[in-house]
Amino acid sequence: RSAYFALGVLVLTNLFNMLDRSIVSILAQSIKADLKLGDAEVGFLLGTAFAVFYSVVGIAMGRISDFVSRKKMLAMGLALWSVMTALGGAAVGFMSLSAARIGVGVGEAAANPCSHSLLADTFPQKNRALALGTYLTGTFLGTAIAMAVGGLFIQKWGDICSAVPIAGACNLAGWQAALITVGVPGLLLSLLVLAIKEPARDLPPP
C-alpha cells in the first residue's frame, strides 16, 4: 500500500511539475501585452530562463539526492517551484517575472532525479516499468491541464473573479490569477511528499 501511495503522490508531483512549467506558454500573449515585453524577452521567459537553470541545477540536484533524503529534497523543490510560480503572478515587469521563472526551474530540477530514484527503490524490478510508465502520465496530464486552465483564466477571469471570496481578486489580470491558482496547491502537495515511506538504502561514500 505504501508503494502505491508513493506512486500516486509522485504522479501528482509530476503533474504539477508540468502544469507550472507549461502554463506560461498559453499565458504568454497576455503577459506580453500587460508587461509590454518584446519578442526576445518573451522567448527568454518561455525558454532560457527555465531551461538553462533546470538543466544545470538538475545535475547538482541528482548528485545531492544521492546523499540526502530524497523525499525531503523533493518536498523542498516542490515548495520552491510552487512559491515561485505563485510569485510570478505578482510580477510587475520582465526582471521580476524572469526571477520567478528561474526559481521555478531551480525547484523543478529536483523533481525527476528524486522521483525516479524513489520509484526504483520502492518497486521491485518486475513492476518498475509499470510504475515509471504511470509516473510519466503526469507529464502529459499536466501539460494538457496547463493549456485548459490557462485558456480558461485568460477568457473567463473577468466573469468569475467576483465569485472569488478574496478582496481585490478582480484587480488581477487573468494570467496573474492563473499563476497564483496553480502555484498554491503545490505547497499542500509538498506535505504529502513528506508522508512517503522512503526505502532504506546504502549511501555512496562522499
Side-chain angles (χ1 to χ4, degrees):
R1 229 180 304 178
S2 63
Y4 286 100
F5 172 79
L7 178 58
V9 172
L10 293 177
V11 169
L12 285 176
T13 300
N14 193 27
L15 187 153
F16 274 92
N17 182 336
M18 295 305 300
L19 173 58
D20 292 358
R21 182 189 312 184
S22 304
I23 196 168
V24 174
S25 61
I26 193 69
L27 305 176
Q29 290 305 312
S30 293
I31 293 172
K32 180 180 179 181
D34 283 359
L35 300 185
K36 297 178 174 57
L37 304 180
D39 290 338
E41 291 171 317
V42 172
F44 179 84
L45 290 171
L46 293 180
T48 310
F50 176 89
V52 170
F53 285 88
Y54 179 88
S55 57
V56 173
V57 176
I59 299 173
M61 289 293 189
R63 184 56 177 160
I64 293 171
S65 298
D66 285 333
F67 297 96
V68 301
S69 167
R70 292 158 293 179
K71 70 176 184 181
K72 291 180 180 179
M73 174 71 77
L74 179 57
M76 287 190 294
L78 173 54
L80 174 60
W81 90 61
S82 299
V83 167
M84 297 309 288
T85 298
L87 286 177
V92 295
F94 173 70
M95 294 302 295
S96 54
L97 187 53
S98 293
R101 296 311 293 174
I102 288 171
V104 173
V106 172
E108 290 193 358
N112 282 327
C114 293
S115 296
H116 287 196
S117 179
L118 281 169
L119 288 173
D121 283 355
T122 300
F123 284 86
Q125 187 173 359
K126 64 178 182 178
N127 299 124
R128 200 169 293 155
L130 176 61
L132 289 172
T134 304
Y135 168 78
L136 289 174
T137 61
T139 300
F140 305 104
L141 289 174
T143 303
I145 293 172
M147 299 301 106
V149 169
L152 177 65
F153 271 85
I154 292 298
Q155 290 188 340
K156 301 294 185 181
W157 178 245
D159 299 326
I160 64 177
C161 64
S162 58
V164 177
I166 299 175
C170 290
N171 295 329
L172 296 173
W175 65 268
Q176 293 176 306
L179 289 175
I180 294 169
T181 300
V182 302
V184 170
L187 295 173
L188 299 177
L189 182 58
S190 66
L191 299 178
L192 279 180
V193 171
L194 292 175
I196 291 174
K197 183 178 179 181
E198 185 169 1
R201 57 179 174 163
D202 295 324
L203 296 178

